[in-house]
């Protein structure tokens, strides 16, 4: 990491400026009114710089959302040996993120794009939803080995029970997103998974 | 109901033609490419006729979706006295609707609008989601009276457990929509609601 001018580092700085500008603007004006021009102006780069790296507004917002989450880092869930406590820790953090306007606005914009664009949906599943779900299932499998969840439980269905109500409540703004709500979803899901 | 020319009946015929055209076109071309011009041409009416009744493309699609569902009719769920059987009947029908392109395309278009337009979301909640949820909760309350669901169960949360996984799977196209899936959601939800 020499201190000499490095075009790849300058280029990375521009890239980060574009992503930050996209996140800020989508929060301020919403996805529909977001323009490549405005992102370029806010980031202090030319439009052509943006089009060199991204094919569309949707693609910029996609990467802006990716850069928000810890998707490149360690996605492993906490494992204290207590699945109920660990899921509550994780769900409370997720609920708090979705209650945060700076986080939720870009994710909402991305979701709207995904619902209309099957290609973007497939990319999102491959790059984000898939790896994240795998990390969650790894924690559930460890709970299965510990005898806290039945060995034959359908883990995809378990994740849907846990997360889909939160996703729907956030997406449709149909109810409050609170720590109590996170806890209730964990309690109900663990009860649903118990042997009959 | 005299057979003489009746402007209100002709007007109702035009209205129904517009709604049918909107449903067909949104299925064929998607919401983004849908235009008032194309709806007018397909329905055989003038653009001004459409703008007399609806303020936007979103409003037309909203009414087209309303006219699809049995929202004006009797929304009561079946009540054979067996909550598990009745919920499976209802959930299987819902899953089948969402697996039907002619039904799901207008609903998808409407959902995309709702996610971007809080005013439309509020209208949808008032006119559609609210009354439908009340009908479902009436059936769950009858199951509570029959001792099949605990008296202190949170019925809003129960509906989320039952329907949110289906909504998410449909919206994100993340898994198959089958009768087995409908049954599994009913089984898991009823288990989750049992007393600890």
């Amino acid at each position: 990491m020499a201190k000499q001018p490095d075009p790849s580092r300058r280029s990375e700085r521009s890239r980060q400026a574009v992503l930050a500008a996209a996140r800020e603007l989508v929060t301020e004006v919403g996805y529909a009114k977001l323009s490549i021009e405005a992102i370029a102006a806010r980031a202090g780069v030319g439009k052509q710089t943006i089009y060199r790296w991204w094919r569309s507004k949707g693609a910029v917002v996609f990467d802006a959302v990716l850069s928000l989450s810890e998707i490149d880092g360690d996605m492993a869930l906490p494992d204290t040996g207590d699945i109920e406590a660990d899921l509550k820790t994780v769900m409370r953090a997720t609920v708090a993120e979705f209650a945060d306007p700076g986080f939720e606005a870009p994710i909402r914009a991305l979701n709207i794009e995904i619902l209309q664009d099957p290609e973007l949906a497939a990319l999102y599943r491959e790059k984000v939803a898939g790896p994240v779900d795998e990390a969650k299932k790894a924690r559930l499998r460890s709970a299965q080995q510990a005898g806290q969840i039945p060995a034959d439980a359908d883990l995809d269905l378990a994740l849907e029970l846990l997360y889909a109500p939160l996703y729907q409540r956030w997406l449709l703004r149909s109810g409050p997103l609170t720590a109590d709500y996170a806890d209730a979803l964990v309690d109900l899901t663990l009860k649903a998974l118990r042997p009959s």
Side-chain angles (χ1 to χ4, degrees), chain A residues 152-195:
Chain A
D152 64 350
D154 181 330
L155 299 187
D156 288 298
L157 209 45
L159 287 186
E160 287 185 328
L161 279 190
L162 200 53
Y163 283 92
L166 163 58
Y167 178 71
Q168 176 181 279
R169 195 178 263 219
W170 163 68
L171 209 52
L172 300 180
R173 301 183 176 93
S174 51
L177 298 174
T178 61
D180 282 349
Y181 183 59
D183 290 353
L185 291 177
V186 172
D187 290 337
L188 287 166
T189 299
L190 290 178
K191 266 176 73 183
L193 295 179
R194 270 184 218 155

Side-chain angles (χ1 to χ4, degrees), chain A residues 5-195:
Chain A
D6 177 342
S8 80
R9 289 181 64 192
R10 198 167 55 212
S11 152
E12 179 57 22
R13 270 201 307 276
S14 297
R15 197 175 163 276
Q16 291 300 333
V18 169
L19 296 178
R23 280 196 304 272
E24 289 166 20
L25 284 165
V26 84
T27 307
E28 289 166 25
V29 306
Y31 184 80
K33 289 182 185 150
L34 182 67
S35 70
I36 294 282
E37 285 77 3
I39 297 172
R42 175 76 59 101
V45 304
K47 267 177 66 173
Q48 70 285 4
T49 300
I50 295 185
Y51 282 120
R52 200 183 311 143
W53 290 322
W54 292 280
R55 67 180 168 93
S56 66
K57 179 172 88 166
V60 180
V61 170
F62 185 87
D63 278 354
V65 169
L66 275 192
S67 70
L68 257 185
S69 54
E70 300 296 317
I71 213 70
D72 297 324
D74 182 8
M75 286 184 295
L77 270 60
D79 193 345
T80 66
D82 179 343
I83 186 66
E84 181 186 327
D86 290 348
L87 286 180
K88 286 182 177 173
T89 301
V90 169
M91 288 293 285
R92 282 171 176 234
T94 303
V95 164
E97 278 177 348
F98 281 101
D100 171 359
F103 185 92
E104 82 90 33
I107 307 263
R108 180 173 298 271
L110 179 64
N111 268 272
I112 289 166
E113 282 305 288
I114 281 173
L115 302 187
Q116 299 178 85
D117 181 346
E119 205 179 304
L120 193 65
L123 189 66
Y124 184 77
R125 201 149 41 233
E126 181 197 329
K127 298 279 185 195
V128 185
V132 167
D133 281 355
E134 275 314 310
K136 292 170 183 166
K137 282 196 273 186
R139 180 64 190 86
L140 295 179
R141 273 192 290 269
S142 136
Q144 286 179 312
Q145 280 150 18
Q148 296 171 340
I149 292 178
D152 64 350
D154 181 330
L155 299 187
D156 288 298
L157 209 45
L159 287 186
E160 287 185 328
L161 279 190
L162 200 53
Y163 283 92
L166 163 58
Y167 178 71
Q168 176 181 279
R169 195 178 263 219
W170 163 68
L171 209 52
L172 300 180
R173 301 183 176 93
S174 51
L177 298 174
T178 61
D180 282 349
Y181 183 59
D183 290 353
L185 291 177
V186 172
D187 290 337
L188 287 166
T189 299
L190 290 178
K191 266 176 73 183
L193 295 179
R194 270 184 218 155

